[in-house]
Amino acid sequence: MRLLTILTTSVILGLVYAQDVSLTQVRQAFQAARIPTDASVVFNPSVLLEVAFPQATGPDVRVKAGVQLPRNKTAIPPTFSIVVNGPGRRPRGEFVVAMVDLDAPTPQTPTSAQIRHFLGGNFTPLRDRGGLALLSNSTPAVSGFLQPTPPAGSDPHRYVFLLFQQSKAFNGQTFVGPTTSVAKFNISLFAQEVGLGNPLGGTFIRVGPDSPAA
Ligand SMILES: *[C@@H]1O[C@H](CO)[C@@H](O)[C@H](O)[C@H]1NC(C)=O
Ligand SMILES: *[C@@H]1O[C@H](CO)[C@@H](O)[C@H](O)[C@H]1NC(C)=O
């Protein structure tokens, strides 16, 4: 009975925190959440990007596109991997990863969106482990990871991760530096300025504010 409970629990958790396995499902999830429109990006993924949030205890939380996560599961900077045993082509070279909040301060009035929660380049895939190639970056991020922090009372925000093939211009870019405000960012404009093209892949999470203390 106990074993059955444990098995059932892992199956349920496995479903909740399973990674993406289908490019079509990811594309449809982006469409359903109006992300291509709201972020002004063309999103026809050819690569499955896996985002995983390490936890202080227990297994990483692997992101399935559109999943809502408790804020306290997003505290530790996520890792990025490319799924290499699933659908999609196996890309080569160097990659840029961005994470943006489309809904700040609220989805109804996103006047300070996008908030740049991460922007990093020079990511290269490490050797496959279990069908995943971990992306490892050789240089510090342009914009370090910021934990989702929607204000009290807000509906959950959409936090979008996008993977781009890195351009020659990326490492010399001056559009975003250490002192550039993270607010009012535009990933589509940045991609244009730096010549990144359309994203190769991506995923997203929803995170709401911490519930007020009782
Ligand atoms: C994380 O937040 C959830 C509610 O969103 C709460 O139930 C849970 O106890 C929290 N976990 C920790 C470790 O604080
Ligand atoms: C972001 O930039 C794109 C150009 O790439 C533009 O079409 C879009 O209107 C911009 N979004 C905002 C909110 O300014």
Side-chain angles (χ1 to χ4, degrees):
M1 193 59 188
R2 176 114 183 249
L3 180 62
L4 187 63
T5 309
I6 293 168
L7 283 175
T8 311
T9 308
S10 354
V11 168
I12 291 167
L13 289 176
L15 284 177
V16 172
Y17 294 130
Q19 78 271 41
D20 288 309
V21 293
S22 153
L23 292 168
T24 305
Q25 276 175 19
V26 174
R27 184 162 45 77
Q28 285 172 350
F30 268 61
Q31 298 289 352
R34 298 183 319 279
I35 291 169
T37 306
D38 291 351
S40 307
V41 293
V42 174
F43 189 71
N44 285 313
S46 57
V47 172
L48 282 170
L49 172 69
E50 172 160 304
V51 175
F53 284 93
Q55 304 298 306
T57 55
D60 293 359
V61 170
R62 295 164 139 202
V63 169
K64 187 172 173 63
V67 69
Q68 181 159 345
L69 298 182
R71 203 178 82 84
N72 58 16
K73 295 218 178 284
T74 62
I76 301 176
T79 60
F80 308 113
S81 304
I82 290 176
V83 178
V84 290
N85 68 345
R89 68 193 171 83
R90 171 145 203 189
R92 300 189 182 280
E94 294 187 309
F95 302 93
V96 171
V97 178
M99 173 186 178
V100 293
D101 176 0
L102 302 183
D103 296 317
T106 66
Q108 291 77 10
T109 317
T111 46
S112 47
Q114 301 156 12
I115 306 288
R116 192 172 61 254
H117 277 258
F118 181 81
L119 179 63
N122 303 299
F123 279 99
T124 52
L126 296 181
R127 205 128 69 90
D128 314 0
R129 282 188 68 181
L132 282 180
L134 183 71
L135 292 173
S136 154
N137 60 341
S138 50
T139 55
V142 173
S143 253
F145 174 71
L146 297 176
Q147 184 182 6
T149 312
S154 172
D155 286 333
H157 291 197
R158 295 164 296 170
Y159 295 87
V160 180
F161 300 87
L162 295 171
L163 176 78
F164 296 90
Q165 189 84 55
Q166 189 166 317
S167 60
K168 288 239 162 34
F170 181 81
N171 279 326
Q173 66 85 22
T174 53
F175 299 100
V176 178
T179 58
T180 313
S181 167
V182 295
K184 299 259 193 186
F185 183 56
N186 183 337
I187 187 60
S188 164
L189 180 61
F190 179 78
Q192 256 178 38
E193 289 167 335
V194 178
L196 297 177
N198 296 327
L200 299 177
T203 191
F204 68 104
I205 57 175
R206 293 183 165 92
V207 181
D210 287 331
S211 33

